[in-house]
């Protein structure tokens, strides 16, 4: 959508070059991007393998059984499958159904878009793509790409098309030099970003890690307050690209969204790659929700639990012993033992309350009967295209469509200033803060890794670490030894 907007509004060509398309993940969607450009080039003899979309899950149930690890989780409901790899050895029927459904929707969307851009019949393009793999020259002969050449060739081609005096410029340099056009009016549309896992707190800027981003609820809520108090801001575009996270943090952000609306500022959500679980929670009350056809959204549900690794550690001479004062539930999230029946019942009740609250918020925000939302929920992931048909999304489009919608809702015409509100997203926090593990738990895990350097104990720790760090859609996730999110 952004490519097409650039070509239509800027009246400028986009040239794409690939050194190979390989059969992994969303390769068909990658081809869709190439097809949306003015010309799509590939390196000679490179691989064109855009033959479909693939997804692979690794299941740990038998591994856990073998080494004495208990995955104790509650899900609401059968489609909330983020923790299924720890509970089962294969896809459940609901897990398989949901995954194939959204994959099929993304595949159809990519093919339809690519066919329109390549001016081909969708059925014929499907047949040609799935008949692969091809080398670049074969892909060109079949009309799948435009030209074959090296990177230097397409660079020379672009410079020639640009005319005398043109030069190559890295995108980062271009972006740093670009300035928005001056707008005489003081009226503005505020843009607030929420990209990454949703967590409570604020970004202190002290993280030693790089790579991923988080959505800090204090920072996003403050950005909404600032936009609400700014007299120039007439509406807000809330750009959401999040797989979920803390229900507590999500509720704080949603409250800030509603407060801005109460202050007379319409809010339009523009969904990115995904806006699922907590990402949908914070979007649910927007005046309008705009998603891309392939956006992964919904996942209206909750999961939580812990890993009980006492038996696993005992096999290597490490014993865990709990002490507590107060109620029995105070030790529910110890890492040594699984839940007692009473603890499980109380924890399940907590999950039920979070799920019921999620349903209520979506029903109110989307003006849908709660019974209808319960049918659409159950933790199921939908694409933007599917969500629009179900009433979970209002329109299909991207950022520019969201800005235009915000202008319309605010009854603003003509050019308007875009004001980016800093919501404070940043890379990972410090490891101990992100994991939230207690000192005792950390020492227990360290002891297991130390025992004789046994590779089996290290394998258990590696899996536990992956489980803790796994970024999966979840309205609530309870990690190992303490209830959070």
């Amino acid at each position: 959508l952004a490519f097409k907007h650039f070509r239509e509004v800027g009246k400028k060509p986009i040239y794409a070059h690939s050194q190979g398309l390989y059969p992994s993940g969303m390769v068909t969607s990658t081809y869709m991007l190439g097809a949306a450009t003015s010309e799509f080039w590939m390196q000679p003899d490179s691989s064109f393998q855009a033959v479909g979309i693939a997804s692979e899950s690794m299941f740990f149930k038998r591994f856990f059984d073998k080494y004495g690890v208990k995955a104790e989780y509650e899900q609401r409901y059968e489609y909330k499958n983020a923790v299924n790899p720890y509970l089962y050895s294969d896809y459940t029927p609901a897990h398989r159904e949901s995954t194939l459904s959204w994959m099929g929707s993304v595949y159809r969307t990519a093919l339809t878009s690519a066919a329109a851009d390549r001016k081909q019949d969708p059925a014929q393009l499907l047949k040609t793509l799935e008949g692969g793999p091809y080398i670049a020259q074969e892909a060109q002969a079949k009309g799948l790409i435009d030209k074959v050449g090296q990177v230097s060739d397409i660079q020379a081609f672009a410079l020639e098309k640009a005319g005398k005096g043109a030069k190559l410029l890295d995108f980062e340099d271009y972006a740093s030099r670009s300035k928005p056009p001056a707008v005489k009016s003081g009226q503005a549309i505020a843009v607030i970003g929420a990209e990454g896992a949703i967590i409570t707190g604020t970004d202190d800027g002290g993280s030693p890690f790089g790579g991923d981003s988080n959505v800090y609820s204090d920072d996003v809520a403050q950005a909404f307050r600032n936009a609400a108090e700014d007299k120039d801001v007439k509406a807000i575009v809330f750009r959401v690209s999040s797989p979920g996270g803390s229900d507590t943090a999500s509720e704080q952000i949603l409250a800030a969204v509603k407060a801005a609306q109460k202050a007379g500022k319409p809010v339009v959500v523009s969904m990115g790659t995904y806006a699922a679980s907590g990402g949908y929670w914070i979007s649910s009350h927007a005046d309008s929700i705009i998603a891309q056809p392939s956006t992964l959204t919904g996942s209206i549900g909750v999961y939580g639990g812990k890993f009980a690794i006492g038996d696993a550690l005992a096999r290597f001479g490490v014993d865990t012993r709990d002490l507590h004062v107060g109620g029995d539930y105070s030790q529910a999230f110890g890492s040594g033992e699984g839940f007692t029946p009473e603890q499980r019942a109380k924890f399940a009740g907590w999950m039920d309350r979070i799920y019921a609250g999620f349903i209520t918020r979506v029903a109110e925000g989307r003006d849908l009967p709660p019974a209808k939302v319960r049918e659409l929920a159950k933790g199921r992931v939908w694409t933007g295209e599917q969500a629009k048909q179900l009433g979970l999304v209002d329109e299909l489009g991207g950022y520019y469509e969201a800005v235009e919608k915000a202008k319309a809702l605010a009854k603003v015409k003509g050019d308007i200033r875009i004001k980016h509100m800093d919501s404070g997203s940043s890379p990972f926090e410090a490891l101990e803060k992100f994991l939230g593990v207690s000192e005792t738990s950390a020492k227990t895990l360290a002891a297991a890794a130390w025992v004789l350097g046994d590779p089996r104990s290290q394998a258990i720790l590696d899996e536990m670490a992956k489980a803790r760090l796994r970024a999966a859609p979840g309205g609530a996730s309870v990690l190992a030894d303490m209830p959070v999110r």
Side-chain angles (χ1 to χ4, degrees):
L1 292 173
F3 282 8
K4 292 177 181 178
H5 179 85
F6 180 86
R7 292 177 61 186
E8 292 171 2
V9 176
K11 305 300 181 184
K12 300 175 183 178
I14 298 176
Y15 304 118
H17 184 275
S18 173
Q19 292 181 297
L21 297 176
Y22 296 93
S24 62
M26 300 293 183
V27 66
T28 306
S29 296
T30 303
Y31 175 65
M32 176 185 70
L33 289 177
T37 62
S38 307
E39 289 193 17
F40 188 10
W41 291 45
M42 289 190 73
Q43 182 172 303
D45 297 314
S46 61
S47 175
F48 185 100
Q49 299 186 42
V51 296
I53 293 177
S55 176
E56 183 179 70
S57 296
M58 190 174 293
F59 294 87
F60 298 99
K61 178 65 165 59
R62 292 195 305 114
F63 172 86
F64 287 168
D65 289 345
K66 182 176 181 179
Y67 289 102
V69 176
K70 298 176 184 177
E72 303 243 319
Y73 279 87
E74 290 281 332
Q75 301 158 283
R76 299 294 182 273
Y77 274 100
E78 64 267 28
Y79 294 102
K80 197 70 176 178
N81 50 48
V83 293
N84 278 14
Y86 309 135
L87 304 176
Y88 305 102
S89 297
D90 199 351
Y91 292 99
T92 64
H95 191 174
R96 184 182 300 276
E97 175 193 358
S98 177
T99 303
L100 288 175
S101 176
W102 70 255
M103 287 176 65
S105 180
V106 170
Y107 191 43
R108 289 189 299 273
T109 297
L111 285 172
T112 301
S113 178
D117 290 326
R118 300 299 301 177
K119 297 179 173 56
Q120 293 190 23
D121 175 69
Q124 182 58 47
L125 178 61
L126 173 67
K127 183 178 180 180
T128 302
L129 287 173
E130 293 185 353
Y134 308 110
I135 62 170
Q137 291 90 324
E138 292 173 325
Q140 181 186 18
K142 293 180 180 294
L144 298 174
I145 64 172
D146 297 295
K147 293 182 181 179
V148 174
Q150 299 290 344
V151 173
S152 57
D153 296 327
I154 193 171
Q155 289 175 337
F157 173 80
L159 287 171
E160 181 182 351
K161 287 290 185 180
K164 186 177 181 181
K167 63 179 181 179
L168 296 173
L169 189 66
D170 289 337
F171 178 77
E172 290 79 4
D173 293 336
Y174 170 78
S176 66
R177 298 182 188 183
S178 298
K179 295 182 179 179
V183 178
K184 295 180 180 179
S185 171
Q187 295 181 326
I189 298 291
V191 176
I192 298 174
E195 182 173 356
I198 302 170
I199 61 177
T200 56
T202 185
D203 175 18
D204 59 14
S207 169
F209 298 95
D212 294 348
S213 296
N214 289 323
V215 179
Y216 294 89
S217 60
D218 285 354
D219 295 331
V220 176
Q222 184 61 53
F224 271 96
R225 285 192 291 271
N226 293 342
E229 294 168 1
D230 191 325
K231 294 181 180 180
D232 288 341
V233 170
K234 303 305 176 184
I236 300 168
V237 170
F238 189 20
R239 180 69 173 172
V240 179
S241 189
S242 171
S246 164
D247 63 296
T248 303
S250 298
E251 180 61 15
Q252 181 184 1
I253 293 171
L254 180 60
V257 171
K258 292 190 285 188
Q261 292 171 313
K262 189 175 181 179
K265 310 297 172 79
V267 177
V268 177
V269 164
S270 172
M271 292 181 168
T273 304
Y274 37 51
S277 198
Y280 193 80
W281 187 309
I282 64 178
S283 304
S284 60
H285 278 247
D287 294 279
S288 182
I289 299 178
I290 299 177
Q292 300 175 54
S294 60
T295 296
L296 297 183
T297 189
S299 192
I300 301 165
V302 61
Y303 71 82
K306 68 173 184 176
F307 289 103
I309 59 175
D311 288 347
L313 296 177
R315 300 182 186 194
F316 305 103
V318 179
D319 298 312
T320 59
R321 300 288 185 264
D322 287 332
L323 294 174
H324 77 283
V325 294
D328 176 67
Y329 197 72
S330 65
Q331 61 178 357
F333 292 93
S335 61
E337 301 293 334
F339 293 120
T340 66
E342 294 77 12
Q343 291 168 348
R344 187 84 184 213
K346 290 182 178 180
F347 180 64
W350 181 32
M351 294 289 99
D352 288 336
R353 287 191 290 274
I354 295 174
Y355 183 68
F358 203 164
I359 296 294
T360 298
R361 285 157 180 79
V362 173
E364 292 174 349
R366 299 303 302 163
D367 194 22
L368 292 170
K372 176 66 173 178
V373 177
R374 281 192 290 269
E375 185 61 31
L376 299 176
K378 303 177 183 178
R380 181 158 182 172
V381 174
W382 307 97
T383 63
E385 182 181 49
Q386 294 170 327
K388 183 178 183 300
Q389 297 171 1
L390 298 171
L392 297 176
V393 161
D394 295 301
E395 299 178 25
L396 297 180
Y399 168 77
Y400 298 105
E401 287 77 13
V403 171
E404 290 303 313
K405 184 65 176 181
K407 288 172 60 179
L409 290 173
K411 296 181 173 57
V412 174
K413 296 182 179 179
D415 292 335
I416 190 168
R417 183 163 51 98
I418 300 298
K419 187 170 185 178
H420 291 273
M421 314 296 287
D422 182 13
S423 63
S425 60
S426 80
F428 285 125
E429 294 180 278
L431 182 62
E432 65 274 11
K433 182 178 179 181
F434 184 81
L435 296 181
V437 296
S438 66
E439 179 183 3
T440 302
S441 297
K443 289 180 178 178
T444 301
L445 293 176
W450 172 80
V451 175
L452 300 177
D454 191 298
R456 292 178 297 175
S457 64
Q458 186 61 53
I460 292 173
L461 292 182
D462 289 344
E463 293 306 328
M464 295 304 99
K466 291 177 183 178
R468 291 171 179 269
L469 292 171
R470 182 179 296 275
S477 57
V478 179
L479 304 184
D481 62 350
M482 62 178 295
V484 296
R485 301 181 201 164

